[in-house]
């Protein structure tokens, strides 16, 4: 981990108040994506966090997890698997529902996306309540995959999202609030 890079990444995250609803402070990572240097630094830090783990595939969560996850997969020379919101994947899917602060959400993966015994790293941009990542983790495990680690650029630690994740799976975030 490069502390100077992490400070520069943190300084680039833009707080957007009351988006998408009143009371939410949205962590906008588009300034990182818009800078070639910062985007590369973010991918460098995700790769450092993967460490010695040798995944067969990267799984990214809809939608910002696709941006980071695809770049990480390319860097490692492995395939990429999308976990998408309900109704977006064209072929046979396996899905999981989970609770949000208000109501329910549903994520899906293609049934043949992860082969039994495959080792994957799960990527998203942000860990909030942990519902989304927890559901994605379940989907991968139900298909017979092994999640080596869960990685996030940002963790909203005051929401204690880790309580909704399997403590046996290594979980790391690059920036914490
Ligand atoms: P959760 O399931 O509560 O952990 O929410 C995680 C998902 O919602 C991630 O895919 C994030 O991109 C998005 N998300 C939740 N809260 C925020 C926030 N405050 N700022 C930006 N994205 C968020």
């Amino acid at each position: 981990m490069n502390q100077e890079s992490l400070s520069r990444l943190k300084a680039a995250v833009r707080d957007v108040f009351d988006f998408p609803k009143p009371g939410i402070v949205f962590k906008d990572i588009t300034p990182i994506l818009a800078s070639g240097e910062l985007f590369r630094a973010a991918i460098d830090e995700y790769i450092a966090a993967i460490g010695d783990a040798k995944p067969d595939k990267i799984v990214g969560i809809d939608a910002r997890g696709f941006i980071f996850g695809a770049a990480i997969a390319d860097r490692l020379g492995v395939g990429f698997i999308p976990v998408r919101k309900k109704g977006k994947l064209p072929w046979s899917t396996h899905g999981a529902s989970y609770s949000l602060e208000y109501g329910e959400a549903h994520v899906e993966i293609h049934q043949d996306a992860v082969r039994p015994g495959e080792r994957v790293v799960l990527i998203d941009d942000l860990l909030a309540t942990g519902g989304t990542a927890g559901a994605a983790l379940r989907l991968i495990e139900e298909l017979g995959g092994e999640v080596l680690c869960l990685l996030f650029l940002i963790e909203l630690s005051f929401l204690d999202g880790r309580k909704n994740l399997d403590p046996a799976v290594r979980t790391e975030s690059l920036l914490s609030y």
Side-chain angles (χ1 to χ4, degrees):
M1 299 252 164
N2 178 329
Q3 287 309 323
E4 198 193 317
S5 282
L6 292 176
S7 308
R8 296 186 58 230
L9 288 168
K10 197 164 196 177
V13 175
R14 176 164 54 194
D15 283 349
V16 182
F17 292 88
D18 298 320
F19 182 87
K21 27 186 177 184
I24 303 286
V25 181
F26 191 87
K27 297 289 184 193
D28 177 18
I29 50 95
T30 60
I32 292 176
L33 303 179
S35 155
E37 205 181 321
L38 291 178
F39 188 24
R40 179 169 293 165
I43 301 304
D44 288 343
E45 294 304 318
Y46 273 110
I47 296 283
I50 290 174
D52 293 334
K54 294 264 178 290
D56 301 307
K57 300 269 170 63
I58 298 294
V59 179
I61 300 178
D62 205 344
R64 288 173 296 273
F66 295 171
I67 301 170
F68 293 113
I72 294 163
D74 180 57
R75 193 76 83 85
L76 295 177
V78 300
F80 175 82
I81 296 167
V83 166
R84 296 215 65 180
K85 289 171 188 150
K86 194 182 174 74
K88 298 286 186 184
L89 286 170
W91 198 66
S92 305
T93 57
H94 181 54
S97 296
Y98 59 97
S99 355
L100 294 173
E101 256 175 295
Y102 302 100
E104 281 254 297
H106 191 84
V107 284
E108 296 178 335
I109 192 167
H110 270 154
Q111 272 174 7
D112 63 351
V114 177
R115 310 274 175 195
E118 262 188 336
R119 293 147 58 89
V120 310
V121 167
L122 181 56
I123 301 287
D124 203 0
D125 68 323
L126 186 140
L127 173 62
T129 66
T132 315
L137 185 69
R138 268 203 324 277
L139 290 181
I140 296 162
E141 290 181 345
E142 283 164 5
L143 292 181
E146 184 191 349
V147 179
L148 299 176
C149 59
L150 273 130
L151 301 179
F152 303 90
L153 178 65
I154 297 169
E155 175 172 357
L156 302 182
S157 41
F158 55 88
L159 292 176
D160 198 17
R162 287 178 187 245
K163 69 177 181 302
N164 288 320
L165 301 174
D166 180 352
V169 179
R170 178 164 73 91
T171 299
E172 289 189 33
S173 48
L174 307 175
L175 309 173
S176 186
Y177 291 85

